[in-house]
Amino acid sequence: MSHTAPWTVATIRTALERRKVSARELADEFFAAIARRNPELNAYLALSPGLAYQQAGRVDAAVAKGEPLPALAGVPIAVKDVLSTTGIPTTCGSKILQNYVPPYNATAVERLEAAGAVILGKTNCDEFAMGSSNENSAYGPVHNPVALDRVPGGSSGGSAAAVAAGLAVAALGTDTGGSIRQPGACCGIPAVMPTYGRVSRYGLIAFASSLDRIGPFATNIADAAAVLGTIAGHDPLDSTSADIAVPSYAQEIDKDLAGLRIGVPEDYFGAGLDPEVRQHVEAGIALLEKLGCKRIPLKMPHTDYAIATYYIIATAEASSNLARYDGVRYGLRVSGATLMDMYRKTREQGFGAEVKRRIMLGTYALSAGYYDAYYLRAQKVRTLIFRDFADAFLKCDLIVTPTAPTPAFRLGEKTADPLQMYLADIYTVTGSLAGVPGISVPCGNTRGGLPVGLQIFGSHFGEGKMLQAAGQFEKAGGFAIGN
Amino acid sequence: MKITRDDVLRVAQLAHLELSEGEVELYRGQLDAILSYADKLNEIDVSGVEPMAQVLAGATGSGASGGASASIGANGDAEERHNSALREDVERPMHTAEAVLKIAPDPVPPYFRVPKVIER
């Protein structure tokens, strides 16, 4: 079947029900597109045609029998390579897990499959999700499909690039400090970080456990909402997943925005914000006002401390989580004369530069004599950043900011200076520390044709209202504002 | 200079990393720059502020992690939600040992074999 508009969850469903296309033909179409485009993008690390065609066959059989189709029947989806997938290699973008094939599925993956989704393969990412450009992958960087000499953002750069290039209808990413939202902004597609606890982390290979979240990329808000609705909800296998009912996000999107209060914190519009990004985000806020929202000026005074707080807490948790890679039970083993020798050689050869840097930073911040000065102090400042959000949500329903200070930068531009790279996360880490949900939506392109992202934060478990604003923004043409 | 060569070697040893000579000097400079930047946290008075180990401990039942926790409701109220993460203590067979040993670097079922542990 030929078509011009990109496939969506809704058009796939209609086409399947009317027998205009089969799930197998859809899979064919996407694998063909991947074969054409992936060599220049490097978005996929592994493809899983065997499992994908099995699943497509099940969907086609259900169609043939006239059975009711589940929510994501036949929808081709990509999964970031930090999420465990039974029988499909899961490397985390690291050499230390080069040959690792998990014996179980992450809960989010399990739920996608139960909803009929067809998993095409695993997407490239910064090693162990540590990075803002995808240049820290042991398997080479991803190129931004909008401009091949630019980064796709990170760490979920492969997922963002795959969806933006039409190599998947939707994708799962993970976000610890901005790793879903920032690549969404760089590649010009909607990207959702749900509330901490909204989506089970079971089977997500841990980076920083108090911050890690799983969420979707899609080309439109309805699809993002459909994927989020599928993967959200309590899971007994993750004791930090919340036992709170999942609303129908699809219904929320259709509500109009009259009277909604949007907070705009001045702290997100200071030095370092690219003037063109500012201009587009201001135009986006004006559009939301035109749609009936009331603009509330805000001050969130601890914003400037978020990067330092985040990089202490996240690296401390990472140093602990990554202690498990020692060559004993799975992944790479480099032999050594003694057990200690084996540990050290395995980790030295298995980990890349950024991962080692963060392990050392975190180990330092947790070590005797420095714990109080760094880790404990950062945890206290986290409380203050959390309170900034609690205070803000007394005055408004949503908070609107830029997603990233600049559009996608050039490959190689920031690799020599880790601190400069960390500052790419300046507007996203705040929401990560506070546990609130955030979405990045496209907000037009710069004169040079690079996408700008507008970020909307909701209150805890307030994904519905957040998606409502994003959906109405999309409907009003916000994605192409100022172009 | 905040971070010395000895600091890097001490941390690398704690973290079981074996660094090359070039890495030692590279990381010394980079950790020094990052930790100097982190010093801005000293500008804030945090006396009387509870450390936060985990957000939403009330909502997610992980209250045992300690520290401050609350969730921000739709009306901005910080509310405590109670939902114990404790479950019934019943056996649940996993049947994963065989699959796990199959992907191990040097399995001797039912064990993982490692080099001899020698006292230093």
Side-chain angles (χ1 to χ4, degrees), chain A residues 76-215:
Chain A
I77 288 185
V79 174
K80 186 180 182 181
D81 209 27
V82 294
L83 289 157
S84 305
T85 41
T86 312
I88 312 173
T90 300
T91 69
C92 293
S94 180
K95 277 193 286 186
I96 213 160
L97 288 177
Q98 188 152 26
N99 299 313
Y100 177 60
V101 182
Y104 67 105
N105 270 331
T107 295
V109 171
E110 196 80 15
R111 288 182 180 179
L112 285 182
E113 291 196 331
V118 173
I119 297 188
L120 300 171
K122 305 298 289 293
T123 49
N124 203 347
C125 56
D126 284 299
E127 185 175 1
F128 286 102
M130 297 178 187
S132 310
S133 70
N134 221 117
E135 291 165 297
N136 296 331
S137 168
Y139 305 102
V142 175
H143 295 256
N144 190 324
V146 180
L148 291 174
D149 62 334
R150 305 261 167 179
V151 303
S155 64
S156 311
S159 290
V163 172
L167 308 186
V169 169
L172 292 187
T174 63
D175 192 314
T176 304
S179 282
I180 291 174
R181 293 160 288 158
Q182 186 255 13
C186 288
C187 293
I189 53 170
V192 183
M193 171 187 71
T195 309
Y196 185 81
R198 179 77 291 182
V199 175
S200 167
R201 290 182 293 113
Y202 181 73
L204 161 59
I205 297 177
F207 159 16
S209 305
S210 82
L211 298 160
D212 292 344
R213 309 191 213 167
I214 302 168

Side-chain angles (χ1 to χ4, degrees), chain A residues 196 237 239-240 304-305 327 329 333 347-348 353 356-357 360 370 374 377 379 383 386 393 433 460, chain B residues 2 11 15-16 18 23 27 30 40-41 43-44 50 52 54 56 60 70-72 76 92 104 113:
Chain A
Y196 185 81
L237 297 173
S239 66
T240 63
D304 195 33
Y305 300 101
R329 291 151 301 161
R333 173 185 292 195
R347 291 164 66 79
E348 169 60 14
K356 285 183 205 164
R357 186 154 45 237
M360 287 202 291
Y370 300 96
Y374 289 102
R377 177 166 280 267
Q379 284 190 312
T383 299
F386 179 95
F393 281 115
L433 291 163
H460 289 141
Chain B
K2 245 182 132 53
V11 169
H16 292 173
E18 195 173 272
E23 282 178 314
Y27 289 137
Q30 290 176 338
K40 70 191 291 163
L41 296 184
E43 295 166 8
I44 312 175
E50 285 286 306
M52 178 176 272
Q54 176 118 27
L56 298 169
T60 60
S71 73
I72 303 165
R92 199 168 62 95
R113 184 161 52 193

Side-chain angles (χ1 to χ4, degrees), chain B residues 68-88:
Chain B
S69 75
S71 73
I72 303 165
N75 56 359
D77 295 340
E79 37 185 296
E80 277 292 329
R81 298 182 202 236
H82 294 285
N83 166 35
S84 172
L86 298 178
R87 57 165 174 76
E88 291 302 311

Side-chain angles (χ1 to χ4, degrees), chain A residues 280-438:
Chain A
H280 277 272
V281 171
E282 284 292 354
I285 292 167
L287 177 62
L288 287 168
E289 287 183 82
K290 210 176 121 194
L291 293 171
C293 294
K294 189 165 184 278
R295 178 178 181 145
I296 313 280
L298 289 178
K299 278 190 181 154
M300 300 181 76
H302 298 95
T303 303
D304 195 33
Y305 300 101
I307 287 283
T309 305
Y310 171 82
Y311 277 94
I312 298 294
I313 290 174
T315 58
E317 293 186 20
S319 74
S320 167
N321 274 324
L322 272 63
R324 72 190 64 175
Y325 303 100
D326 56 10
V328 174
R329 291 151 301 161
Y330 44 76
L332 178 74
R333 173 185 292 195
V334 179
S335 48
T338 65
L339 185 63
M340 183 59 71
D341 199 30
M342 181 191 91
Y343 290 163
R344 292 167 62 109
K345 287 199 160 80
T346 298
R347 291 164 66 79
E348 169 60 14
Q349 291 186 32
F351 289 139
E354 180 64 22
V355 171
K356 285 183 205 164
R357 186 154 45 237
R358 294 200 192 189
I359 288 173
M360 287 202 291
L361 190 56
T363 303
Y364 182 85
L366 289 175
S367 66
Y370 300 96
Y371 179 92
D372 285 1
Y374 289 102
Y375 185 62
L376 192 63
R377 177 166 280 267
Q379 284 190 312
K380 289 178 179 177
V381 181
R382 183 176 187 178
T383 299
L384 298 174
I385 290 166
F386 179 95
R387 285 186 196 158
D388 277 359
F389 277 86
D391 291 346
F393 281 115
L394 289 170
K395 301 176 199 130
C396 61
D397 302 299
L398 297 167
I399 296 170
V400 181
T401 75
T403 305
T406 67
F409 40 90
R410 287 198 167 75
L411 285 152
E413 194 176 321
K414 301 192 185 203
T415 41
D417 187 346
L419 187 55
Q420 281 309 308
M421 188 73 90
Y422 295 173
L423 291 170
D425 302 334
I426 193 160
Y427 303 138
T428 48
V429 291
T430 50
S432 302
L433 291 163
V436 297

